Amino acid sequence: MKTFEFTGSGFGYIWLMLWTSVLSIITCGLFFPWAYSAQQRWICSNTYVEGRQLEFTGTGMGFFFQWLFIMVLSTLTFGIYIPWGYCQFKRWETANTRFVR
């Protein structure tokens, strides 16, 4: 049986959400890829699978143009592209998640 453990705290999450949300609002959403990357790093650094810690290696810059492409296509297709964009987004997230060595 696989055991999963999450060690994050509510205070850590509040601080993370506050600063990433403020920066996203100030930049009219352009900071979102960096905010999401920071959130994923926090989640992974607090997640253990069978005693092995996860690590998120993605960066905001690594996701920015992909995110921009998803936003443009979703807008141009009046939302029809959203399911495909979400899957593309999840592939990026998964490709950048690994176990700490």
Side-chain angles (χ1 to χ4, degrees), residues 6 12-13 15-21 23-24 31-46 55-63 89 92-93 96:
F6 182 75
Y13 186 68
W15 172 245
L16 176 70
M17 292 308 296
L18 278 174
W19 75 264
T20 57
S21 296
L23 285 174
S24 291
F31 185 73
F32 175 77
W34 287 270
Y36 190 80
S37 295
Q39 292 167 9
Q40 281 305 113
R41 273 191 300 282
W42 183 81
I43 290 168
C44 286
S45 70
N46 287 289
E55 177 181 43
F56 185 73
T57 59
T59 64
M61 185 54 77
F63 183 50
F89 172 65
W92 172 81
E93 183 181 299
N96 286 286

Side-chain angles (χ1 to χ4, degrees), residues 19-78:
W19 75 264
T20 57
S21 296
V22 167
L23 285 174
S24 291
I25 290 167
I26 289 171
T27 62
C28 298
L30 290 177
F31 185 73
F32 175 77
W34 287 270
Y36 190 80
S37 295
Q39 292 167 9
Q40 281 305 113
R41 273 191 300 282
W42 183 81
I43 290 168
C44 286
S45 70
N46 287 289
T47 302
Y48 296 81
V49 178
E50 294 183 351
R52 296 179 67 193
Q53 185 179 19
L54 292 178
E55 177 181 43
F56 185 73
T57 59
T59 64
M61 185 54 77
F63 183 50
F64 180 75
F65 292 105
Q66 198 171 29
W67 169 79
L68 194 59
F69 179 75
I70 292 168
M71 293 296 105
V72 169
L73 274 182
S74 295
T75 302
L76 290 176
T77 63
F78 301 101

Side-chain angles (χ1 to χ4, degrees), residues 2-17:
K2 294 187 181 201
T3 57
F4 295 82
E5 181 181 6
F6 182 75
T7 60
S9 71
F11 288 117
Y13 186 68
I14 287 172
W15 172 245
L16 176 70
M17 292 308 296

